[in-house]
């Protein structure tokens, strides 16, 4: 700062005050900038096998994609880091580095992705951030990111679709239905998936009739969408419409032959079929026994049973009891 010849004057005092305030502001901004600075891990130094030393960030990121496709994950990370060092404002490299860490280091992935987003805000990238947040079980933050994405791209159905998923995870069922339906109004390309998710939310609300209607809409939109058949198998099994459930179990099995959820649906259906057959068998035998003993009053039946128990030496000898009652063709 310059030496002022006006020491002790009002003008000098005002100038000094403003100068000090400006200096304080500069220091504050510098400190904030240092605090927000994102650094690349030191271990991601040399190691990118790209053959040209003058490659730009886009070329390095694209080469990193090829390495990842070949299963060379570590080398890809070095290439993304090199791309960032060559051009720190290259957003594609920040996004690629974040995505590469999404399964191994979620907190680092989020930090890198947020930094890339600060360099290039867009509805698409806010949606991708929401997906990363949801994978880290940060559902409130994910919902916030999806809302921003939707605001930035109101004609895109992806953001409300993903927002519906976050609301579903948060048990905000009414809001989930509203945004799923908004997504449905925006586009019809993913109608089956959206209607299927609407059915899931309605099921959580115990609105099974409405859920069935939504699943039917999903099936009509795309008969090959596997989750719908799995959900219809579950719904029909639950309400005892086992013949219809069987058809959807078979369809789900055909479309998802190795999916564990289909195993669960099929096992539940088999258990329901077994219980239903057992109940029907018991009903048939009860009707047959009623025909045989229809002439007896309740008191007569009790007296006869007591006599038979005495004759057989107690209730342990069930074969003796059945034979004495004329019910040898009835199992236990």
């Amino acid at each position: 700062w310059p030496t002022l010849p006006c020491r002790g004057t009002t003008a000098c005092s005002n100038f000094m005050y403003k100068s000090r305030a400006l200096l304080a502001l500069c220091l504050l901004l510098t400190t904030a900038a240092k605090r927000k600075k994102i650094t690349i891990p030191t271990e991601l130094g040399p190691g990118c096998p790209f053959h040209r030393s003058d490659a730009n960030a886009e070329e390095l990121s694209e080469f990193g994609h090829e390495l990842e496709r070949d299963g060379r994950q570590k080398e890809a990370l070095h290439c993304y880091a090199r791309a960032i060092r060559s051009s720190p404002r290259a957003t594609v490299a920040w996004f690629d580095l974040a995505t590469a860490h999404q399964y191994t280091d979620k907190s680092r992935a989020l930090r890198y992705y947020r930094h890339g987003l600060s360099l290039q805000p867009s509805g698409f990238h806010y949606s991708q951030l929401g997906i990363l947040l949801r994978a880290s079980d940060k559902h409130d933050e994910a919902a916030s990111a999806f809302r921003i994405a939707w605001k930035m791209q109101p004609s895109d159905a992806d953001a409300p679709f993903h927002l519906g998923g976050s609301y579903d995870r948060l048990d905000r069922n009414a809001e989930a239905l509203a945004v799923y339906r908004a997504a449905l109004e925006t586009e019809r390309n993913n109608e089956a998936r959206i209607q299927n998710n609407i059915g899931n939310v309605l099921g959580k609300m115990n609105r099974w009739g409405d859920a069935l209607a939504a699943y039917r809409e999903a099936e009509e939109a795309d008969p090959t969408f596997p989750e719908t058949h799995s959900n219809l198998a579950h719904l029909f099994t639950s309400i005892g419409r086992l013949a219809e459930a069987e058809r959807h179990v078979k369809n789900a099995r055909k479309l998802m032959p190795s999916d564990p959820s289909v195993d669960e649906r099929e096992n539940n259906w088999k258990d329901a079929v077994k219980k239903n057959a057992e109940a029907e068998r018991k009903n048939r035998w009860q009707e047959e026994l009623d025909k045989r003993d229809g002439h007896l009053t309740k008191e007569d039946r009790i007296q006869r049973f007591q006599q038979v128990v005495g004759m057989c030496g107690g209730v342990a000898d069930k074969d003796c009891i059945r034979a004495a009652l004329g019910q040898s063709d009835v199992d236990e």
Side-chain angles (χ1 to χ4, degrees), residues 66-82:
E66 294 179 14
L67 291 172
E68 284 200 85
R69 284 192 288 269
D70 290 341
R72 298 163 67 180
Q73 177 80 7
K74 187 174 180 180
E75 291 173 292
L77 291 175
H78 285 290
C79 288
Y80 299 143
R82 178 177 161 186

Side-chain angles (χ1 to χ4, degrees), residues 161 180 190-198 218 225 227-228:
F161 174 76
Y180 275 142
N190 291 314
E191 181 178 359
R193 184 178 295 277
I194 297 171
Q195 289 283 16
N196 179 76
N197 287 8
I198 288 174
F225 188 65
E227 284 85 353
T228 299

Side-chain angles (χ1 to χ4, degrees), residues 12-34:
C12 181
S13 298
N14 289 339
F15 185 83
M16 288 295 291
Y17 174 79
K18 293 179 181 177
S19 299
R20 287 169 181 161
L22 182 60
L23 177 60
L25 179 61
C26 289
L27 290 173
L28 180 63
L29 291 174
T30 302
T31 303
K34 288 181 178 178

Side-chain angles (χ1 to χ4, degrees), residues 185-223:
E185 291 174 3
T186 303
E187 69 162 280
R188 291 283 174 171
N189 293 335
N190 291 314
E191 181 178 359
R193 184 178 295 277
I194 297 171
Q195 289 283 16
N196 179 76
N197 287 8
I198 288 174
N200 292 342
V201 175
L202 289 166
K204 285 174 62 179
M205 301 169 74
N206 291 320
R207 294 169 54 182
W208 293 108
D210 293 333
L212 177 56
Y215 290 142
R216 290 296 199 198
E217 290 284 350
E219 184 183 20
E220 183 177 347
D222 183 1

